[in-house]
Amino acid sequence: MILAEAQRCFSEHGYDGTSLNDIAAGVGIRRASLLHHFHAKEAIYQAVFERALSDWAVRIEQAIDVPGAEGWTYLDQVLTTAVRWFAENPDFVRLARFESLAAANDHLGFNLGEALRPWFQQAVDYFDREMGAGRFRKQDPEQLIITGYGAILNYFSDAHFLEGLLDRDPMTEEALETRVEHIRTFFRSALEP
Amino acid sequence: MILAEAQRCFSEHGYDGTSLNDIAAGVGIRRASLLHHFHAKEAIYQAVFERALSDWAVRIEQAIDVPGAEGWTYLDQVLTTAVRWFAENPDFVRLARFESLAAANDHLGFNLGEALRPWFQQAVDYFDREMGAGRFRKQDPEQLIITGYGAILNYFSDAHFLEGLLDRDPMTEEALETRVEHIRTFFRSALEP
DNA sequence: GTCTATACTCGGATAGAC
DNA sequence: GTCTATCCGAGTATAGAC
């Protein structure tokens, strides 16, 4: 599948660091044949991104949509699910990172931040409710979410860097278990009244 | 100054997204003249990085080296200094981000994680002491630091993204003040016994 | 130290045969 | 749908004049 290989390349080396030859070689065809399916490199990138984003949308809806969910138990569940999913989709994480690092109007026909804004707003509303009901300590919801996604995304996008920093593989089952536990404990410490 | 302009370009568009023409144009000379000072593009990149890193080393030593420092007051001070310094050096933040995202053995002759390990270890030791003395709640020090640098670095490296997400400029004086306050409050909530 | 000119390679994209 | 062939532009790097 072309999109799968393209995602692998883009997430590993970024847009500029990936050539059509790289992708074509991975697929097992020639550069020109790629362009039979997509009229330009940017079109491939956009297709990769849209697919990844809609996959992600499905998963997040599943994780979010827990009936009668509230308080710490719910947040704990969402955090754990997020970490697990990101752990299983390192490509997506790196792709998102490259994209949020890119200057506006590079490669993508739309703004990633804007695209995620509805979910962001939903999360803000959740924290507003919980804090208003006294189930969480009062903090700035927007800032909290920014910190949260950073704490999770970072770990996976910077795996190469962390391997150098820690001098061990940060992606083993054991290391990931440690990471999940930390995220849960840390947020709980900060939020529980 | 060549290195300053090179840093601007690399931090804005990454290594692959920056051409010698881009840098030369910013300096006001021709591409060939650049290569009189540095024998290759990679050499420019490495020079930029080493300069940025040693600048950073100086600042971090200053921030860390507070006599008799301990407990929350000290950490609070370091966090605030870090946020302020990163706010004033967005280039450095984006450069570091691009680099920690890059695959091993790309562009740089050394491993960034390895280079930062001594400071990392120092920070781990600090938390170990503080937690041992009961001044902080017990948490995994390594994980805590990873979360902390993520919370800070992210905000600045993803400014473009955040602007789309929040629908406002995340780098105004007011926005930065809010961010500092959040970081302080959040960590305090999580760490104070 | 900076320039022009040039060599060479690579990447994106198109045309047309099979 | 995939290929070869080809075009064009951009990129890195070098040679040599001023």
Side-chain angles (χ1 to χ4, degrees):
Chain A
M1 182 52 158
I2 291 175
L3 289 183
E5 180 60 23
Q7 173 166 335
R8 218 183 56 76
C9 293
F10 285 133
S11 70
E12 188 70 16
H13 300 109
Y15 183 83
D16 294 312
T18 298
S19 76
L20 293 183
N21 277 331
D22 296 335
I23 302 172
V27 177
I29 58 176
R30 292 296 201 166
R31 181 164 85 253
S33 308
L34 268 189
L35 293 167
H36 172 75
H37 301 274
F38 299 90
H39 72 281
K41 184 183 177 184
E42 283 217 339
I44 301 181
Y45 184 78
Q46 291 186 18
V48 164
F49 215 92
E50 274 160 32
R51 198 186 57 137
L53 208 58
S54 73
D55 279 9
W56 186 74
V58 172
R59 292 303 302 257
I60 197 103
E61 292 292 351
Q62 284 175 358
I64 279 176
D65 193 22
V66 178
E70 64 174 38
W72 169 251
T73 317
Y74 176 62
L75 179 59
D76 188 36
Q77 196 175 320
V78 171
L79 283 177
T80 305
T81 305
V83 173
R84 293 259 157 76
W85 189 75
F86 286 149
E88 286 158 20
N89 296 270
D91 278 9
F92 176 80
V93 175
R94 291 175 54 87
L95 204 59
R97 262 259 108 81
F98 268 116
E99 193 52 38
S100 52
L101 206 43
N105 305 334
D106 273 5
H107 336 139
L108 219 52
F110 66 100
N111 182 304
L112 182 60
E114 250 179 71
L116 298 182
R117 203 185 296 159
W119 285 307
F120 180 69
Q121 195 51 53
Q122 221 176 314
V124 170
D125 293 343
Y126 163 76
F127 280 112
D128 273 335
R129 276 199 310 277
E130 297 298 317
M131 289 174 187
R135 285 188 289 266
F136 288 159
R137 266 189 274 184
K138 282 202 196 304
Q139 310 219 19
D140 184 322
E142 290 184 341
Q143 297 291 331
L144 191 60
I145 297 158
I146 292 170
T147 300
Y149 95 75
I152 301 179
L153 265 206
N154 247 339
Y155 188 81
F156 299 106
S157 68
D158 291 7
H160 291 315
F161 168 77
L162 288 176
E163 178 156 6
L165 192 70
L166 299 169
D167 200 20
R168 60 182 134 86
D169 183 357
M171 296 295 271
T172 62
E173 259 312 308
E174 195 190 347
L176 291 174
E177 189 53 42
T178 305
R179 185 65 187 161
V180 174
E181 269 318 302
H182 161 73
I183 301 258
R184 296 178 63 229
T185 310
F186 189 64
F187 274 78
R188 186 173 194 166
S189 302
L191 286 175
E192 274 199 336
Chain B
M1 181 53 158
I2 291 176
L3 289 183
E5 179 60 22
Q7 174 166 335
R8 219 184 55 76
C9 292
F10 285 133
S11 70
E12 188 70 18
H13 300 108
Y15 183 84
D16 294 311
T18 298
S19 76
L20 293 182
N21 276 331
D22 295 335
I23 302 172
V27 176
I29 58 176
R30 292 296 200 164
R31 182 167 81 249
S33 308
L34 268 189
L35 293 168
H36 173 75
H37 301 274
F38 298 90
H39 72 279
K41 183 183 177 183
E42 284 217 338
I44 302 181
Y45 184 77
Q46 291 185 18
V48 164
F49 215 91
E50 273 159 33
R51 196 185 59 136
L53 209 56
S54 73
D55 280 8
W56 188 72
V58 172
R59 294 304 303 255
I60 196 107
E61 292 292 351
Q62 285 175 358
I64 279 177
D65 195 20
V66 178
E70 63 175 38
W72 169 251
T73 317
Y74 176 63
L75 180 60
D76 188 37
Q77 197 176 319
V78 172
L79 283 176
T80 305
T81 305
V83 173
R84 293 258 156 76
W85 188 74
F86 286 149
E88 284 158 21
N89 295 271
D91 278 9
F92 176 81
V93 175
R94 290 175 56 86
L95 204 58
R97 260 263 111 82
F98 269 116
E99 194 52 37
S100 53
L101 206 43
N105 304 335
D106 273 5
H107 336 137
L108 218 53
F110 68 97
N111 183 305
L112 182 60
E114 249 179 71
L116 298 182
R117 203 185 297 159
W119 285 306
F120 180 70
Q121 195 52 53
Q122 221 175 312
V124 169
D125 293 343
Y126 163 77
F127 280 113
D128 273 335
R129 276 200 309 278
E130 297 298 318
M131 288 173 187
R135 286 187 288 266
F136 287 158
R137 266 189 274 184
K138 283 202 195 304
Q139 310 220 20
D140 184 323
E142 290 184 342
Q143 297 290 332
L144 192 59
I145 296 157
I146 292 171
T147 300
Y149 95 76
I152 300 179
L153 266 205
N154 246 340
Y155 188 82
F156 299 107
S157 68
D158 292 7
H160 292 314
F161 169 77
L162 288 176
E163 179 157 5
L165 193 69
L166 299 169
D167 200 21
R168 59 181 134 86
D169 183 358
M171 296 295 271
T172 63
E173 260 312 310
E174 195 191 347
L176 291 175
E177 189 52 44
T178 304
R179 185 65 187 161
V180 175
E181 270 316 304
H182 161 73
I183 301 259
R184 297 176 63 228
T185 310
F186 188 64
F187 275 78
R188 186 173 195 166
S189 303
L191 287 173
E192 274 198 337

